[in-house]
Amino acid sequence: MDPIIRVHDVSKSFRDNLSARKVKALESISLSAEKGEVYGFLGPNGAGKSTTIKLLLNLIRPDSGSVTIAGRSVEERELRRIVGFLPENPYFYEHLTAEELLWFGGQASGMKGSEIKERSMMLLEKTDLLDARKRAIRTYSKGMVQRAGLALALVHDPEVIILDEPMSGLDPFGRRMVSNLIIDMKKAGKTVFFSSHILGDIEKICDKVGIIAEGRLCLEDSLTNLLNYGATLEDIFFAEVEKISVKGN
């Protein structure tokens, strides 16, 4: 069976606005996630994590290589029905309430009114926003906005959930809540792909880890295999990133 997420030999460059020269963001990266896996995508700032996620969402296109979800090109519009996404810094119309936000998201996904209502109430409870559901989002803290964004990403019950730095801006309570939600998704057979630089969160909940630095994939393996080497994930991460940095110099 093909992996549900597959990035194969992908390269991507952008043109520098000042010098007009091309800057390589990704160089021949390949990675994959199986159905039901939680995949942790690790890397320093500027390593290429967000670029990879934009490619998975078809927000940008690769210069070369292929990107598929569920065996289909990410360019197929119908894939949007099975994919949920949380950006690192979600932004919503501030006059909307969380309840209205999820209603809008559910309708955009083609859900029935009764389904939206039932699913929204469940997610608002899980994200601890039930009591604040009728308040305007402009009154929310950064952590509450993040949790509302996660609920929106999940409202249509997607098979694949892509999260860009989902723990960003959350206090320890919020991080534990998001971790528990990701574990629940895994138990339900969903595939979760999320980027992070918080090694502890990756180590607690991931099945598979990919480490990226300077646009190149340094390492991809199951978390079990990595930790069987006797080193901590932190040690492995810094060793792999350092290798790439030395090669680059």
Side-chain angles (χ1 to χ4, degrees):
M1 185 180 293
D2 288 336
I4 196 161
I5 292 175
R6 186 170 183 262
V7 176
H8 178 66
D9 200 23
V10 163
S11 294
K12 178 66 182 177
S13 296
F14 296 99
R15 195 168 293 281
D16 187 294
N17 289 331
L18 295 176
S19 64
R21 67 184 181 86
K22 281 193 172 183
V23 177
K24 185 154 281 191
L26 297 175
E27 186 174 345
S28 302
I29 74 162
S30 296
L31 57 83
S32 63
E34 307 297 329
K35 181 176 174 58
E37 274 190 335
V38 178
Y39 190 112
F41 197 39
L42 276 170
N45 290 337
K49 301 189 300 296
S50 292
T51 298
T52 303
I53 284 175
K54 287 175 183 176
L55 288 164
L56 285 171
L57 296 166
N58 196 38
L59 297 175
I60 58 175
R61 294 184 180 179
D63 298 335
S64 60
S66 61
V67 186
T68 59
I69 292 178
R72 297 153 66 186
S73 168
V74 292
E75 294 180 21
E76 293 188 27
R77 292 176 62 89
E78 285 301 308
L79 273 182
R80 297 178 188 181
R81 295 187 179 273
I82 68 164
V83 176
F85 170 56
L86 173 69
E88 180 179 0
N89 296 300
Y91 177 81
F92 308 116
Y93 291 117
E94 294 183 339
H95 65 276
L96 290 178
T97 66
E99 201 171 50
E100 291 168 339
L101 179 68
L102 297 192
W103 182 264
F104 171 79
Q107 284 194 317
S109 300
M111 297 172 68
K112 295 178 181 177
S114 57
E115 293 174 329
I116 299 172
K117 195 166 186 179
E118 181 181 351
R119 183 90 179 145
S120 294
M121 293 300 284
M122 182 270 288
L123 288 169
L124 289 167
E125 184 174 8
K126 280 184 173 288
T127 54
D128 197 29
L129 291 173
L130 200 57
D131 292 341
R133 68 187 185 278
K134 295 187 181 296
R135 280 171 44 194
I137 289 174
R138 67 174 174 269
T139 68
Y140 284 12
S141 67
K142 182 179 179 182
M144 292 172 75
V145 172
Q146 193 83 353
R147 286 184 270 136
L150 182 57
L152 178 63
L154 301 176
V155 70
H156 58 301
D157 197 21
E159 290 300 311
V160 177
I161 302 97
I162 299 171
L163 311 172
D164 193 358
E165 302 283 358
M167 314 295 186
S168 175
L170 297 181
D171 59 20
F173 176 80
R175 282 169 56 192
R176 184 172 67 174
M177 182 186 299
V178 172
S179 294
N180 289 339
L181 274 170
I182 291 174
I183 291 167
D184 287 345
M185 293 178 221
K186 173 182 165 61
K187 288 177 180 176
K190 313 293 185 184
T191 304
V192 182
F193 182 97
F194 78 96
S195 67
S196 182
H197 56 265
I198 303 173
L199 298 172
D201 294 328
I202 296 279
E203 199 161 349
K204 285 175 187 173
I205 58 180
C206 288
D207 301 298
K208 194 173 187 180
V209 174
I211 298 175
I212 189 171
E214 298 183 15
R216 287 174 281 181
L217 196 71
C218 314
L219 180 72
E220 183 186 56
D221 206 343
S222 72
L223 185 61
T224 301
N225 284 345
L226 290 176
L227 297 183
N228 278 343
Y229 296 142
T232 66
L233 184 58
E234 182 176 0
D235 291 337
I236 294 166
F237 173 75
F238 284 114
E240 292 299 325
V241 171
E242 188 176 344
K243 283 180 194 174
I244 291 290
S245 297
V246 169
K247 285 179 184 177
N249 292 329

